[in-house]
DNA sequence: CTGTTAGCGCGTTCAG
DNA sequence: CTGAACGCGCTAACAG
């Protein structure tokens, strides 16, 4: 490894001068700077981040915590965060939490051990109190996909209720009055919200969703069991005696599962039953029927969250908005049919 | 931040003793150790990774470079690497290369600046010479999804030719003799190999693939244009006058695109035309028809690559195999039809 | 078994 | 504008 000292020796200047040149610090003679820079380049000098972080007490690192990375939704968070970090020359550290609050905490602490104070967390199950405490200690801690009231200016989130309402409104416009909803009850606000908005909307229109058509499983992580879950949901919906012309799924993955289960039962989508997704993953566009869904601008949100974190830890922070709410939008494709009434 | 010195003061011992306790170094009195440990816990001491890395000249870091992260295939690499790293208490840094050799190099160098010497690279386009040179400097540099002969013991790769042969063999068994192949010609060996195996196999059986049925586009990154590419490919195949009963796609994403394009042209899959994928992404199981495909054990490979890298940099390395080849396997689902002849 | 000493590579004073 | 001196938090010799 070639150090600042080595360069100084060759250049015939002091280490501090080299340091100044490396950092682009102003107080170096023009000629001297050019000369040192030349030697720097020739010798292929690369700063030692660890030494830097140690002495300057700041590491150019962004840490991200997501439940996993193989699901495209979370991969997109990592992707967006990396993209934003790179424009600031920050490096990205990442860790999977597997939806485990303890691992999540451990991840955050590990990042801090590395001097990383820009941390983006996608957590659904972590304890609010803990996060509030943590946020005090870590100015650059940002939550994505979660809204914690006491931490409003640290949360980059999506209005799930609005999304659900958009979904409901579109179905209503397309003539649907017999709706079903398929989601999970995991104590997670997202999932409740995505049902709530639809309920609200239809209620306002004087249409009620039959309780038997609301499937709100307590299954925590569908993952592998997802196909089975969808199958059960469809069997239940087809056999409970209530009419269904359209289903609002918690997300695109569930929507796909439901569509497959419907096909397996001899139902056509959307001719017999329409299905709405949520997220607008790539797959929504690559499957047949192409999914009508609600776009979740997750890459943009991750980029935003990263920049926001950097703002929060900047030496001269510019003014920071106190709310960071993103709005979902409707993406019309082929999984919803207009029905005449 | 609470340091080893703070703890030492409170415990009434020297910093080195605390350091020994922290690191689990043997030479500390039993009682003394217990006492220091207690204070360590009480004070919530957390080691400073930067200081550690600086003095010990090793950082417990694994760096991974992939083209992107939003595609599940690469997300899976990150996922597997993180999983393996975590079991060794290593932290993961990651960087997207966007298939750009320069960014790739910069990523590797950035990792090194952080003292990270365990680096996993998924590169298709990077220059071999450069990598050979780099590998000399970085003992923990491992390539995944690529085979470089001079760096055999650093490459964790999949036998694409074998995969392609398996694909071909299965189609042959199912009675298919009129095959098409859809891939890219980007100078990338993977893509050529996945055609080569099929060609080989059919040639051995005395069946030749019509040249017009081999689509080998020079499109570099299909990405957004993928749907269009697939559409063009299908139009070409349906109109070139050669019979086609089955198509071997470069990967699952392309397979999906082809299926969609076929459906749009009024062809049924697999009743009219069968389609084989490659990779076995989650989506292969969640689409209809479910994809018959070749499983690429990418998560396992990423875990393996990470452990391999750790082996290569271990103080007391155990014996290391000099080849790390993974074999693809057939996953039978519904996109291939048995035809009678 | 424990404490003392001496850096790791760098940024940041403070003199000159 | 430049250099010398100091210390970030920690580990690794070396004494005792």
């Amino acid at each position: 490894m070639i150090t600042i000292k080595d360069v100084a020796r060759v250049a015939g200047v002091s280490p501090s001068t080299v340091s100044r040149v490396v950092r682009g610090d102003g107080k170096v003679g023009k000629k001297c700077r050019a000369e040192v820079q030349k030697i720097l380049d020739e010798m292929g000098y690369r700063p030692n981040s660890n030494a830097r972080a140690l002495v300057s007490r700041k590491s150019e690192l962004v840490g991200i915590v997501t439940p996993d990375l193989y699901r495209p939704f979370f991969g997109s968070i990592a992707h967006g965060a990396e993209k934003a970090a790179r424009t600031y020359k920050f490096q990205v550290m990442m860790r999977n939490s597997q939806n485990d609050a303890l691992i999540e905490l451990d991840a955050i602490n590990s990042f801090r051990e590395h001097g990383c104070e820009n941390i983006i967390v996608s957590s659904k199950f972590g304890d609010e109190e803990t996060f509030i405490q943590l946020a005090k200690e870590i100015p650059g801690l940002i939550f994505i996909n979660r809204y914690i009231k006491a931490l409003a200016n640290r949360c980059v989130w999506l209005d799930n209720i609005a999304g659900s309402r958009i979904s409901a409104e579109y179905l209503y416009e397309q003539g649907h009055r017999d709706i079903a909803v398929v989601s999970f009850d995991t104590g997670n606000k997202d999932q409740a919200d995505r049902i709530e908005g639809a309920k609200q909307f239809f209620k306002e229109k004087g249409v009620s969703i039959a309780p038997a058509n609301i499937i709100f499983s307590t299954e925590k992580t569908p993952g592998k069991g997802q196909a089975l879950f969808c199958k059960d949901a469809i069997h239940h919906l087809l056999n409970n005696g209530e009419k269904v012309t359209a289903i609002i799924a918690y997300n695109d993955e569930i929507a796909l599962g439901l569509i497959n289960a419907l096909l397996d039962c001899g139902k056509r989508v959307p001719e017999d039953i329409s299905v709405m997704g949520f997220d607008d993953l790539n797959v929504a566009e690559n499957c047949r029927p192409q999914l009508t869904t609600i776009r979740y601008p997750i890459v943009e949100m991750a980029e935003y969250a990263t920049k926001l974190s950097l703002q929060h830890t900047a030496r001269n922070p510019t003014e920071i908005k106190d709310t960071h709410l993103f709005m979902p939008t409707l993406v019309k494709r082929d999984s919803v049919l207009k029905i005449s009434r």
Side-chain angles (χ1 to χ4, degrees), chain A:
Chain A
M1 158 167 262
I2 144 126
T3 76
I4 238 173
K5 242 176 167 171
D6 300 328
V7 177
R9 201 175 310 118
V10 174
V13 296
S14 78
S16 356
T17 299
V18 178
S19 173
R20 288 185 184 104
V21 173
V22 169
R23 285 172 300 123
D25 190 320
K27 300 132 191 167
V28 182
K30 209 174 164 186
K31 196 178 132 201
C32 173
R33 148 157 297 150
E35 205 156 320
V36 172
Q37 185 61 59
K38 187 163 149 268
I39 297 177
L40 239 15
D41 293 340
E42 281 172 11
M43 300 182 67
Y45 169 80
R46 286 248 157 197
N48 178 319
S49 305
N50 292 122
R52 268 192 175 172
L54 184 59
V55 59
S56 68
R57 303 165 155 291
K58 63 178 67 120
S59 76
E60 310 207 306
L61 245 33
V62 171
I64 64 180
V65 188
T66 55
D68 65 66
L69 276 175
Y70 57 87
R71 281 190 287 175
F73 184 83
F74 297 115
S76 296
I77 293 181
H79 194 83
E82 196 273 347
K83 194 172 159 194
R86 184 148 33 90
T87 68
Y88 293 90
K89 311 257 182 232
F90 272 53
Q91 203 60 237
V92 174
M93 307 189 70
M94 56 145 220
R95 190 83 175 283
N96 296 333
S97 70
Q98 305 162 196
N99 276 322
D100 180 323
L102 253 43
I103 300 184
E104 220 162 67
L105 270 185
D106 185 59
I108 294 175
N109 282 323
S110 301
F111 291 161
R112 295 171 80 187
E113 292 178 12
H114 286 269
C116 168
E117 49 176 8
N118 297 101
I119 304 180
I120 316 293
V121 179
S122 172
S123 170
K124 298 198 164 174
F125 303 103
D127 180 52
E128 273 201 18
E129 288 308 311
T130 310
F131 285 149
I132 292 173
Q133 177 57 36
L134 230 40
K136 279 185 202 147
E137 299 171 24
I138 313 173
L141 182 64
I142 301 292
F143 299 92
I144 188 166
N145 307 335
R146 175 155 172 179
Y147 179 68
I148 298 172
K149 201 168 181 179
L151 260 27
N153 71 339
R154 303 285 196 88
C155 294
V156 176
W157 55 295
L158 186 87
D159 192 332
N160 282 290
I161 293 189
S164 176
R165 285 185 67 94
I166 292 170
S167 214
E169 184 173 6
Y170 181 64
L171 289 177
Y172 186 87
E173 285 170 12
Q174 301 302 302
H176 294 275
R177 297 294 181 273
D178 301 292
I179 307 296
V181 173
V182 178
S183 188
F184 319 101
D185 179 12
T186 53
N188 181 317
K189 207 159 166 305
D190 282 26
Q191 291 156 353
D193 283 356
R194 290 194 194 171
I195 291 192
E196 189 51 32
K199 270 193 189 164
Q200 268 182 19
F201 179 88
F202 279 107
K203 194 170 178 188
E204 289 164 23
K205 293 291 178 185
V207 178
S208 69
I209 299 180
N213 279 353
I214 297 181
I215 296 186
F216 201 35
S217 155
T218 52
E219 184 83 18
K220 185 166 179 182
T221 43
K224 296 297 164 198
Q226 193 163 291
L228 196 61
F229 166 72
C230 292
K231 201 171 163 183
D232 289 347
I234 290 303
H235 286 175
H236 174 76
L237 289 176
L238 296 181
N239 298 322
N240 73 21
E242 297 286 347
K243 190 177 164 195
V244 177
T245 64
I247 306 176
I248 298 179
Y250 169 64
N251 65 15
D252 289 349
E253 292 180 276
I254 299 298
L256 280 186
L258 295 174
I259 291 177
N260 290 336
L262 284 164
L263 294 175
D264 289 344
C265 292
K267 297 289 184 186
R268 293 163 305 161
V269 178
E271 293 80 357
D272 299 321
I273 294 189
S274 293
V275 176
M276 288 276 322
F278 205 114
D279 284 350
D280 195 26
L281 302 180
N282 277 339
V283 70
E285 190 164 26
N286 292 329
C287 62
R288 286 304 146 100
Q290 293 190 325
L291 267 185
T292 293
T293 189
I294 303 295
R295 180 171 139 75
Y296 198 135
I298 185 60
V299 174
E300 291 89 325
M301 287 171 69
E303 289 187 51
Y304 182 94
T306 305
K307 288 177 191 166
L308 180 61
S309 174
L310 261 19
Q311 280 291 334
H312 274 284
T313 57
R315 29 272 138 211
N316 46 357
T318 57
E319 208 164 332
I320 295 176
K321 291 196 296 180
D322 51 54
T323 184
H324 313 284
L325 173 62
F326 281 70
M327 291 303 285
T329 49
L330 177 65
V331 181
K332 298 180 194 173
R333 294 206 185 87
D334 308 325
S335 65
V336 172
L337 187 74
K338 186 177 182 72
I339 59 180
S340 49
R341 328 195 56 251

